[in-house]
Amino acid sequence: MSIVKTITPAPPMEADFASSRYRMIMAARFTVGGFAREWAHCHLLANYLARYVSANEGDPERHATLLSTFINELLEVIYRNHAADGQIELIFRKRGRHVILQIALPVTEQNRVFYRMAVQIVNQPDLKSWYRARLEEPAEGEDTMLGLLELAAVYACTLTISEPPGQDRISLFLELPEVDEMGEV
Amino acid sequence: MPVALNMRLTGDKEQEVTLTGTLRPFVAEEMASVRRSLEQAAWSARGALCVNLKRLKYMNNVAFLELNRFVRWAASARPDLRVKFILSSVIPWAIRKFQVIAELYPNVTIEVYDKAFYPIQHVIEDDEFINVLRTQEKIIWEHEQEKLAWHGMRPGLRVADICCGLGDFAILLQRDFRPEYLVGVDHSKPFLRYARQVVSDFGLENIEYQYGDAAALLLPDSSFDFVTCRLSLQVFNEPQHILRELLRICKPGGRIYITNELMAGIVAHPGENLIRWTYDKVIEIGHSLGMDMDTGLKTREILTDAGLEDIKIHLIDINNMNSDPNDFGKVVESWTYVTGQMCMRSSQPPEVFERIKEGLMAHVEAINSDRGFASWPIYAGSGRKPFRA
Ligand SMILES: C[S@@+](CC[C@H](N)C(=O)[O-])C[C@H]1O[C@@H](n2cnc3c(N)ncnc32)[C@H](O)[C@@H]1O
């Protein structure tokens, strides 16, 4: 399969976030060094953040289990692909019943290429076939992009990227599917 | 990494591997023991291998890819073997994810074990029926509440109400006993929606509801002071699975509280013969569907067999003189829905249901009669979880 040229959707604009359609839920900032010290941080952070963000839902436990699954996949990708120094910033916002997760991180050129590629594949029209192909011909060892593909192909999350010019940082925006108050997608 | 793995044999034709807890490995090698167990099971299994993921709460893509590799391996190493993933609707991410695998490989099927395991669920989720359940809750509470303190309920406890239904019990407990925190678990989303609406209407913050299976709770071990399960053990064909869960989530020194009907003890006059026939028939049909409507009588046995100490039992005696006969009558009237469904599910001839309906009507008449007497016994029992097992 080859990547077809598509116009990848634009990330939301900073100015949008000021509008009343977006509700800020929480923000967290930590150093790459601290985060990358232990793999379990992905799991622990995902569970903690998911639980916090789900506090006011009808079935907080169910909502949090689903959210943790999504956040964890994103954090695991970040764990494997980031520059050595700097800060990671996570911002959770809500628009209607969608949770939108923005994650800003320091990147090397190689990381940047990886994330651009991931966003491009995730936005391919035949994303499902891409995802299936990776299962049917599994790579040796880990498939570091599979988690992101799964978020989009299986759970209908959308992924966009924003690259502020002249910086070695990028922001990824993961818009989660609409989840009802009972934690149903 | 917190990974739990245990294997269990279920009969000689099918082998089952159960994965529980969290599977979020960094690399596939961490899955080596899981992979080995799966392969061993696949070699010895005949027909189908069940991979039970009912209680696998989290799984990342590294683990998923490894399961995918296993399925591919099985398709070539054991082409005649079916791999069946057993999933639960309680785990919100699981079904979609495994659907992909089931579509990709002909040797894979998925089964959602809790899809329709409570046969009369859709009847009781009906709006009209919800009103009746509320009435029922109201008349029972009036009598139940008096003895709850004797069973060990007091302010400031962490309480879990398993099979909580509409959640009225939680609201009443909140009013009269001020628990520190209360979680209600049920397998009916419409009921939980209702329960949650009530909680938010009252602005209560310490009550939470969860969609779950009472026989496979995701609540942690030893985490509640008081665990209740009201009028529910009687509708399950294997109540011991639920009891095991109640015991697991209860703190040592905490108490488990259950209530169950004794249908054989329902009496009413006038019309006693038809009424007695009716309830005997319902008990019989219940048995054929795996329900024991006389569970109340076995309260002591159930609590003793569960290993509880300091067992206490009392009778919640509802009759038409100590309860509002109008409400009591409405509750009995509503049993036509439930018994109708039970008759259908057990393929009773139509005349049986007709006669049951007549019996229920006679019961309602006795309840509303100025000279009649009607009683409905429910047994409430509790016991303490020992500090040492
Ligand atoms: C007879 S009602 C009792 C409800 C409530 N405790 C009361 O006293 O009114 C039984 C309840 O069990 C729930 N239920 C059935 N199967 C269940 C399961 N496997 N796990 C949790 N709840 C279940 C039903 O949805 C229903 O609300």
Side-chain angles (χ1 to χ4, degrees):
Chain A
M1 257 180 302
S2 60
I3 298 182
V4 296
K5 212 61 198 142
T6 52
I7 301 170
T8 52
M13 307 278 270
E14 285 297 328
D16 293 344
F17 293 137
S19 100
S20 59
R21 288 196 306 139
Y22 288 89
R23 209 158 44 80
M24 169 82 177
I25 309 177
M26 76 171 300
R29 187 185 303 171
F30 40 88
T31 61
V32 162
F35 172 64
R37 200 169 300 140
E38 227 182 286
W39 176 248
H41 287 163
C42 301
H43 166 67
L44 296 170
L45 260 175
N47 284 4
Y48 177 79
L49 296 170
R51 186 67 209 187
Y52 190 96
V53 172
S54 306
N56 292 322
E57 298 297 327
D59 187 336
E61 179 65 24
R62 186 174 176 83
H63 195 273
T65 304
L66 191 62
L67 234 56
S68 167
T69 300
F70 299 159
I71 299 170
N72 182 65
E73 289 302 345
L74 186 62
L75 289 177
E76 288 191 1
V77 174
I78 307 270
Y79 187 95
R80 297 181 201 267
N81 299 281
H82 59 75
D85 288 311
Q87 298 226 314
I88 296 177
E89 194 175 10
L90 275 169
I91 304 176
F92 288 87
R93 299 183 179 85
K94 224 170 163 182
R95 199 191 63 223
R97 297 214 60 83
H98 288 273
V99 172
I100 297 150
L101 168 53
Q102 175 180 3
I103 184 157
L105 69 150
V107 288
T108 62
E109 266 322 293
Q110 200 188 347
N111 300 146
R112 190 187 289 277
V113 171
F114 170 84
Y115 286 114
R116 276 189 194 154
M117 170 99 146
V119 170
Q120 210 165 33
I121 296 183
V122 157
N123 288 291
Q124 289 291 299
D126 54 348
L127 167 65
K128 281 230 160 75
S129 339
W130 279 83
Y131 176 63
R132 280 163 194 228
R134 291 179 106 98
L135 294 177
E136 284 189 299
E137 283 159 50
E140 286 289 310
E142 279 59 60
D143 180 339
T144 52
M145 214 183 271
L146 187 70
L148 289 179
L149 260 59
E150 181 185 285
L151 287 175
V154 180
Y155 301 106
C157 297
T158 60
L159 183 71
T160 51
I161 185 170
S162 124
E163 303 183 57
Q167 289 186 27
D168 48 9
R169 285 177 77 74
I170 60 162
S171 272
L172 296 170
F173 292 87
L174 185 71
E175 178 163 339
L176 307 183
E178 193 168 342
V179 177
D180 77 10
E181 57 177 19
M182 296 304 300
E184 243 21 74
V185 185
Chain B
M1 190 195 36
V3 179
L5 167 74
N6 43 67
M7 277 184 54
R8 188 174 89 205
L9 272 166
T10 51
D12 58 352
K13 285 240 163 45
E14 282 190 322
Q15 188 147 355
E16 184 168 301
V17 176
T18 303
L19 300 173
T20 60
T22 301
L23 271 183
R24 284 176 168 173
F26 178 49
V27 289
E29 285 84 79
E30 290 172 45
M31 291 280 288
S33 70
V34 171
R35 182 70 191 264
R36 237 188 340 269
S37 307
L38 286 167
E39 290 187 8
Q40 268 167 16
W43 280 124
S44 54
R46 273 167 291 152
L49 168 70
C50 294
V51 184
N52 182 335
L53 307 179
K54 278 185 203 179
R55 290 209 218 193
L56 185 64
K57 194 168 178 195
Y58 301 112
M59 178 174 63
N60 70 358
N61 73 82
V62 177
F64 185 62
L65 192 60
E66 196 55 13
L67 286 186
N68 172 73
R69 288 196 186 100
F70 163 72
V71 166
R72 300 176 53 76
W73 169 86
S76 67
R78 293 285 330 264
D80 53 334
L81 186 74
R82 257 184 328 112
V83 178
K84 188 153 97 187
F85 287 101
I86 314 231
L87 308 176
S88 163
S89 72
V90 175
I91 308 293
W93 51 262
I95 297 172
R96 284 180 177 226
K97 194 156 166 150
F98 280 91
Q99 248 155 12
V100 179
I101 296 259
E103 281 164 20
L104 277 181
Y105 307 108
N107 60 328
V108 172
T109 51
I110 54 177
E111 179 188 308
V112 181
Y113 86 101
D114 60 340
K115 209 165 169 191
F117 67 165
Y118 186 48
I120 52 175
Q121 191 76 46
H122 63 278
V123 200
I124 65 170
E125 286 171 352
D126 177 63
D127 270 350
E128 206 173 324
F129 200 71
I130 284 184
N131 279 328
V132 182
L133 278 183
R134 299 207 58 199
T135 311
Q136 170 172 314
E137 184 59 56
K138 190 177 109 202
I139 62 175
I140 296 175
W141 176 259
E142 284 167 9
H143 304 286
E144 186 174 12
Q145 181 255 15
E146 297 162 5
K147 284 277 196 174
L148 268 175
W150 181 68
H151 282 287
M153 178 64 81
R154 56 178 201 281
L157 299 186
R158 287 176 58 84
V159 179
D161 187 23
I162 307 306
C163 301
C164 62
L166 297 169
D168 284 335
F169 180 67
I171 302 292
L172 294 165
L173 267 191
Q174 173 67 23
R175 192 189 64 191
D176 294 351
F177 292 94
R178 305 257 157 219
E180 181 198 78
Y181 168 76
L182 187 146
V183 62
V185 179
D186 202 276
H187 200 268
S188 159
K189 285 181 190 156
F191 282 8
L192 290 170
R193 233 170 240 130
Y194 178 92
R196 135 136 176 105
Q197 189 56 46
V198 177
V199 161
S200 81
D201 289 349
F202 279 86
L204 302 173
E205 301 221 319
N206 58 334
I207 298 182
E208 194 175 306
Y209 290 106
Q210 276 182 23
Y211 176 66
D213 173 13
L217 295 169
L218 295 176
L219 297 169
D221 295 356
S222 306
S223 49
F224 294 93
D225 304 296
F226 206 85
V227 179
T228 63
C229 182
R230 302 169 52 261
L231 297 180
S232 296
L233 291 177
Q234 60 188 47
V235 300
F236 290 93
N237 55 356
E238 288 179 320
Q240 66 277 16
H241 293 316
I242 297 177
L243 219 69
R244 200 168 52 212
E245 284 294 87
L246 303 180
L247 200 68
R248 182 182 65 76
I249 64 171
C250 186
K251 290 181 191 169
R255 292 187 75 88
I256 292 171
Y257 172 83
I258 59 175
T259 69
N260 290 286
E261 286 177 72
L262 174 60
M263 203 170 255
I266 293 182
V267 290
H269 171 82
E272 53 267 44
N273 290 338
L274 175 58
I275 294 168
R276 191 63 264 140
W277 177 88
T278 300
Y279 289 104
D280 284 343
K281 195 75 197 169
V282 176
I283 292 168
E284 182 192 314
I285 296 173
H287 273 300
S288 75
L289 296 173
M291 306 185 206
D292 182 356
M293 308 309 288
D294 284 337
T295 301
L297 191 60
K298 290 147 200 159
T299 305
R300 187 175 177 196
E301 182 180 277
I302 292 172
L303 297 174
T304 308
D305 290 354
L308 298 178
E309 300 169 340
D310 186 30
I311 291 168
K312 298 180 174 186
I313 293 176
H314 90 277
L315 169 65
I316 302 173
D317 169 33
I318 292 164
N319 63 55
N320 63 338
M321 298 200 60
N322 69 8
S323 307
D324 181 339
N326 211 348
D327 287 344
F328 186 10
K330 266 195 236 149
V331 169
V332 171
E333 209 179 304
S334 76
W335 293 344
T336 34
Y337 284 90
V338 186
T339 50
Q341 281 295 312
M342 289 170 70
C343 286
M344 221 168 72
R345 303 233 1 142
S346 60
S347 318
Q348 298 294 321
E351 42 304 355
V352 169
F353 180 48
E354 282 310 311
R355 208 156 148 71
I356 287 178
K357 272 201 294 200
E358 282 167 30
L360 293 173
M361 283 308 116
H363 193 183
V364 174
E365 267 172 44
I367 290 168
N368 286 309
S369 147
D370 290 339
R371 295 163 58 241
F373 183 75
S375 106
W376 174 29
I378 296 172
Y379 281 92
S382 68
R384 186 177 59 223
K385 175 170 167 176
F387 281 95
R388 264 183 300 274

